[in-house]
Amino acid sequence: MSAWEQNPPVRLPNERAITPEVVAEHGLSPEEYQHVLKIMEREPTLVELGIFSAMWSEHCSYKSSKVWLKKLPTSAPWVIQGPGENAGVIDIGDGQAAIFKMESHNHPSYIEPYQGAATGVGGILRDVFTMGARPIANVNALRFGDPAHPRTRHLVEGVVAGIGGYGNCMGIPTVAGETSFHRAYNENCLVNAMTVGIARTDRIFYAAAAGLGNPVVYVGSKTGRDGIHGATMASAEFTEDSESKRPTVQVGDPFVEKLLLEACLELMETDAIIAIQDMGAAGLTSSSFEMADKGGLGVEIDLDKVPMRETGMNPYELMLSESQERMLMVLKPGHEEDARRIFEKWELDFAIIGRLTDTRRMVLRWHDDVVASIPIPPVVTEAPVYERPWTPTPLPPALSAQEVPPPQDYAQALLKLVGSPDQCSKAWVWRQYDHLIMGNTAIRPGGDAAVVRVPGGNGKALAITSDCTPRYCQAHPETGGRQAVAEAWRNLTATGATPLACTDNMNFGNPQKPEIMGQFAGCVMGMAEACTALSFPIVSGNVSLYNETEGRGILPTPVIGGVGVMKDVAGCVEIAIREEGLVVVLVGETRGHLGQSIYLRDILGREDGAPPPVDLAAEKRHGDFVRMQIQAGRIAACHDLSDGGLGLALAEMAMAGGVGLTVSPPADTGCPPHAWLFGEDQARYVLAVRPAAVEAVSRDAAAAGVPAARLGTSGGATLTVEGLLAISVAELRRAHESWLPAYMEARH
């Protein structure tokens, strides 16, 4: 037995005593601390307590969500790597893989919106390129509070600038996403960032350390004091003193990250790397523990060799700092100097800070003194796992369309919807992002999904989207979970892509409240059903809990980021109708469901009723039919139906292409006209069919048992729904494009 196993580590000068108050400050419950004592067989040092605090935080350990996440389907023949690594990996053919993940930076973005959002982008980029992928696209899903709230403009401005600033400097296009508003996010905005990258299937890098005595290497930026306790902060509710947590927000430098990306990818072309891990949440602590545990090894680290950018830093700060743009690697012996030359060429720090051992312990030295000695497996495998009590959310009574009054003026109702905060044009947002850089963006932001050409893919492309309807999840989580997955799948399908897999970002309130845990459980159950039925597995993701301030929680928001593939980008379609004489066809059954609709909310000021039911068999049948028609070259434009139903979909298709439409309600709609126009029934698409293909489309629909009703034709400069409304496309565009710029300009 070595000396450091026989004797406890030394304590740092002026180290605080471990009191119940100090334990509580570290986010550990008394019961959890008792388990720490059992594992350590002694009182921990403050450094060791900090490590347990970070590793057992909700953000790192998933202690409230793990039992439910195991219910999600994560495998398919095309899945190379599911959850458990830095990102998910799927085979897209031709020896290429798509690597992608979505993560949250909610709490940091509320405290310091620019840096919170920027470092969220930086972190998710590292998760992807640490596995050997060159990022080709970013996506973001943003949710802000009531536009009238005094802090909302400030948050929108800072978050959008942070996302654009980091992504633009990295030279990676931001191609898709969502931006919406609701009072439930007043004190807790959501910033979910997703990155998709491309790698060779035979050059994918993982985090499992291997090889006794192999060097542990630190690369990237120097370590500072920013972000200390970031993971712990992200695992707690906000209170009135949230501004005091500003030092826990990391500070990013995209120019350094660009250098780190290029240096890592250059080294990955050699045979030097055994394992690599991003230093994300909990920094050096999580990266070192995860690499060692996955490899079944121990680690000794000389903390005084860690590059530091501030004077007087101590081991506690070095282990818990979340300074950005850093990586931890295990290299093959003999490759150290080759690796050093690469990183120094890119003007980055390179330091051999430790070595792998067979002890399965984390031993930290500080100027030759052992300051921490922790058994690795229990920290990872014995992290608390809670089966929290949960209360199911009952399905609200269905709302009959006859109970919902029609608008006094259909045209004014549609104009109000297209110009509302949620449905208005988000061009003000995405024009701040360089969405065309790299030259591979085939379908730009603003449609159902972005389409990005795959470099070296011989015309192949990826469709990428993010989706969630939180008001559905609030009303009935199980239905909302199903719908979030189904809408992401539809949005990919509407471009002509074959959906392959998704990543999730589970944003919820305090899981210790049974009703909140019930929302989480319900959403997961609905998502699992939909992913299974649609062969659309979840391969990566993130859970963000405690999104509450002073006890007020957000809407349950399980965001789904979807990825699909198409063999030939030339065959993709957009929502824009650009030609006259096309035939407008509605695919799917319309029952006029108005419960939880935006018509109900934005026109009548109500948020009630059940969300629309999701028939997963119909979703699959209708989507497969639509994709087949697109791939056969019969469809000039396609749009899935979601918020605002048929009325909003027709308006968006006309506005996107600048060509009007004339449609007629069927003789028997089966529901009142306003329900037919604004109902949010699922599993539906609008197709703009080339005239010569109309008969073939109708024949295939009948053979597949898919409802397909001819509604009208494209042409002119007006959207006309006979008997209900006629609005010029120019007027629709004015309403659609004016709200967000006017709102943001009002602060200046």
Side-chain angles (χ1 to χ4, degrees):
M1 183 178 290
S2 63
W4 51 261
E5 289 177 296
Q6 295 174 357
N7 302 309
V10 302
R11 296 183 180 273
L12 299 173
N14 303 316
E15 183 173 307
R16 297 170 69 192
I18 307 297
T19 65
E21 292 74 24
V22 170
V23 170
E25 286 173 18
H26 282 75
L28 294 170
S29 70
E31 295 77 18
E32 289 169 347
Y33 182 64
Q34 288 303 308
H35 195 49
V36 170
L37 294 176
K38 180 180 176 183
I39 290 170
M40 297 297 290
E41 298 181 343
R42 59 173 170 78
E43 183 181 87
T45 66
L46 191 65
V47 175
E48 292 168 335
L49 183 69
I51 287 170
F52 274 99
S53 167
M55 291 297 293
W56 287 8
S57 68
E58 193 76 63
H59 192 77
C60 292
S61 73
Y62 292 83
K63 57 190 175 185
S64 296
S65 57
K66 191 176 290 184
V67 294
W68 286 100
L69 296 177
K70 290 178 180 178
K71 300 179 185 298
L72 294 169
T74 59
S75 60
W78 52 88
V79 174
I80 296 172
Q81 175 65 54
E85 275 288 339
N86 286 290
V89 186
I90 58 173
D91 192 329
I92 59 172
D94 306 311
Q96 292 181 308
I99 300 182
F100 61 97
K101 186 183 181 184
M102 181 179 281
E103 275 209 346
S104 61
H105 238 219
N106 303 335
H107 284 53
S109 297
Y110 184 78
I111 297 168
E112 177 29 69
Y114 185 95
Q115 289 295 348
T119 52
V121 173
I124 198 63
L125 283 166
R126 289 194 303 279
D127 279 341
V128 168
F129 74 73
T130 194
M131 297 195 71
R134 180 171 290 278
I136 64 166
N138 289 332
V139 174
N140 56 76
L142 312 178
R143 286 175 171 82
F144 299 103
D146 185 338
H149 189 275
R151 195 166 164 80
T152 299
R153 278 191 194 86
H154 165 72
L155 292 172
V156 173
E157 187 172 57
V159 164
V160 170
I163 291 169
Y166 209 100
N168 295 351
C169 291
M170 286 289 293
I172 297 164
T174 300
V175 297
E178 313 165 80
T179 305
S180 61
F181 300 82
H182 192 280
R183 62 185 179 279
Y185 305 103
N186 278 354
E187 281 88 25
N188 213 123
C189 63
L190 300 186
V191 176
N192 296 171
M194 175 179 172
T195 293
V196 182
I198 301 296
R200 287 164 38 194
T201 54
D202 62 349
R203 299 295 288 174
I204 296 168
F205 292 81
Y206 298 96
L212 291 182
N214 282 349
V216 176
V217 176
Y218 172 117
V219 299
S221 284
K222 290 180 169 59
T223 296
R225 290 188 171 96
D226 54 317
I228 293 173
H229 285 306
T232 307
M233 176 271 289
S235 306
E237 288 185 34
F238 276 162
T239 58
E240 290 180 349
D241 68 344
S242 61
E243 286 296 315
S244 69
K245 298 181 179 180
R246 190 175 297 272
T248 64
V249 178
Q250 308 92 328
V251 177
D253 186 337
F255 298 104
V256 172
E257 178 125 332
K258 173 63 173 172
L259 301 177
L260 183 61
L261 163 66
E262 298 301 338
C264 286
L265 293 182
E266 182 175 339
L267 185 60
M268 286 167 173
E269 289 297 315
T270 73
D271 200 30
I273 299 175
I274 293 174
I276 180 169
Q277 175 72 41
D278 161 44
M279 287 194 223
L284 186 53
T285 288
S286 63
S287 55
S288 58
F289 269 87
E290 288 169 11
M291 292 176 78
D293 183 67
K294 287 176 180 176
L297 294 170
V299 183
E300 293 184 14
I301 294 177
D302 298 309
L303 288 172
D304 48 290
K305 294 180 180 177
V306 172
M308 295 170 239
R309 69 166 181 256
E310 298 185 45
T311 58
M313 292 192 72
N314 61 44
Y316 182 94
E317 295 167 329
L318 291 169
M319 288 302 291
L320 296 180
S321 168
E322 293 184 11
S323 293
Q324 297 291 285
E325 295 91 35
R326 303 179 300 157
M327 293 280 191
L328 198 64
M329 298 180 178
V330 175
L331 297 182
K332 291 182 180 178
H335 289 265
E336 296 92 336
E337 292 312 308
D338 290 339
R340 184 188 300 275
R341 278 193 293 272
I342 289 173
F343 282 91
E344 289 182 351
K345 180 186 79 172
W346 289 100
E347 301 180 347
L348 296 166
D349 278 284
F350 177 98
I352 299 171
I353 64 169
R355 66 215 59 83
L356 299 180
T357 70
D358 61 0
T359 63
R360 304 207 74 182
R361 296 184 75 89
M362 178 67 63
V363 178
L364 305 177
R365 288 191 172 86
W366 181 243
H367 301 293
D368 297 326
D369 289 327
V370 172
V371 294
S373 174
I374 305 175
I376 290 171
V379 176
V380 179
T381 62
E382 295 182 33
V385 175
Y386 295 119
E387 295 193 34
R388 304 275 191 198
W390 62 283
T391 303
T393 304
L395 182 67
L399 193 62
S400 165
Q402 284 75 15
E403 298 176 56
V404 179
Q408 294 181 345
D409 184 315
Y410 278 85
Q412 289 303 310
L414 183 56
L415 285 168
K416 183 172 183 179
L417 290 183
V418 301
S420 67
D422 277 10
Q423 307 308 320
C424 72
S425 168
K426 300 307 186 299
W428 182 92
V429 173
W430 56 257
R431 283 175 182 157
Q432 296 184 54
Y433 308 151
D434 193 333
H435 52 282
L436 298 176
I437 197 167
M438 299 173 74
N440 290 319
T441 307
I443 295 183
R444 305 180 185 191
D448 284 329
V451 173
V452 179
R453 298 176 190 88
V454 174
N458 299 316
K460 185 169 52 188
L462 295 181
I464 308 166
T465 190
S466 73
D467 290 286
C468 184
T469 310
R471 64 183 186 279
Y472 292 175
C473 298
Q474 175 87 351
H476 190 241
E478 202 164 339
T479 301
R482 277 191 216 105
Q483 193 273 341
V485 172
E487 187 176 353
W489 190 86
R490 281 201 308 270
N491 280 336
L492 299 175
T493 292
T495 68
T498 300
L500 290 182
C502 51
T503 181
D504 61 14
N505 206 142
M506 309 291 285
N507 306 274
F508 291 79
N510 184 344
Q512 296 177 55
K513 297 178 179 178
E515 66 275 16
I516 301 298
M517 200 65 227
Q519 292 174 349
F520 187 91
C523 285
V524 168
M525 288 188 285
M527 289 162 56
E529 286 181 37
C531 289
T532 300
L534 300 173
S535 300
F536 196 39
I538 290 178
V539 297
S540 60
N542 171 249
V543 176
S544 174
L545 302 177
Y546 296 97
N547 287 288
E548 298 200 4
T549 299
E550 298 292 319
R552 297 182 298 276
I554 62 165
L555 298 180
T557 311
V559 178
I560 303 296
V563 175
V565 69
M566 58 184 68
K567 292 181 179 178
D568 187 355
V569 69
C572 71
V573 299
E574 303 181 56
I575 71 169
I577 293 182
R578 305 186 191 279
E579 305 170 37
E580 299 204 348
L582 299 172
V583 177
V584 179
V585 174
L586 174 62
V587 171
E589 187 177 5
T590 298
R591 296 182 178 177
H593 191 100
L594 288 172
Q596 297 298 330
S597 66
I598 63 161
Y599 171 81
L600 194 69
R601 187 190 70 187
D602 292 353
I603 303 301
L604 301 179
R606 294 168 52 182
E607 296 183 35
D608 60 310
V614 180
D615 181 335
L616 293 169
E619 291 281 2
K620 184 77 166 63
R621 186 168 59 251
H622 299 178
D624 289 349
F625 163 77
V626 167
R627 192 181 312 107
M628 182 179 73
Q629 301 308 311
I630 294 172
Q631 293 174 355
R634 297 167 178 166
I635 310 301
C638 178
H639 196 2
D640 90 302
L641 270 64
S642 53
D643 284 349
L646 176 62
L648 195 61
L650 293 172
E652 288 173 341
M653 295 177 85
M655 289 187 292
V659 174
L661 299 168
T662 300
V663 301
S664 301
D668 181 15
T669 61
C671 58
H674 66 293
W676 176 81
L677 189 62
F678 297 120
E680 295 181 5
D681 305 281
Q682 301 293 293
R684 297 189 302 159
Y685 303 78
V686 173
L687 307 180
V689 183
R690 296 189 168 92
V694 172
E695 287 188 17
V697 171
S698 298
R699 182 181 63 246
D700 286 355
V706 173
R710 180 170 172 166
L711 296 182
T713 57
S714 65
T718 300
L719 171 61
T720 300
V721 181
E722 292 184 347
L724 297 180
L725 60 84
I727 316 172
S728 74
V729 175
E731 188 177 3
L732 283 167
R733 276 181 165 172
R734 280 194 295 272
H736 187 56
E737 295 172 1
S738 62
W739 184 83
L740 190 53
Y743 173 72
M744 295 308 298
E745 287 168 10
R747 70 174 278 110
H748 298 296

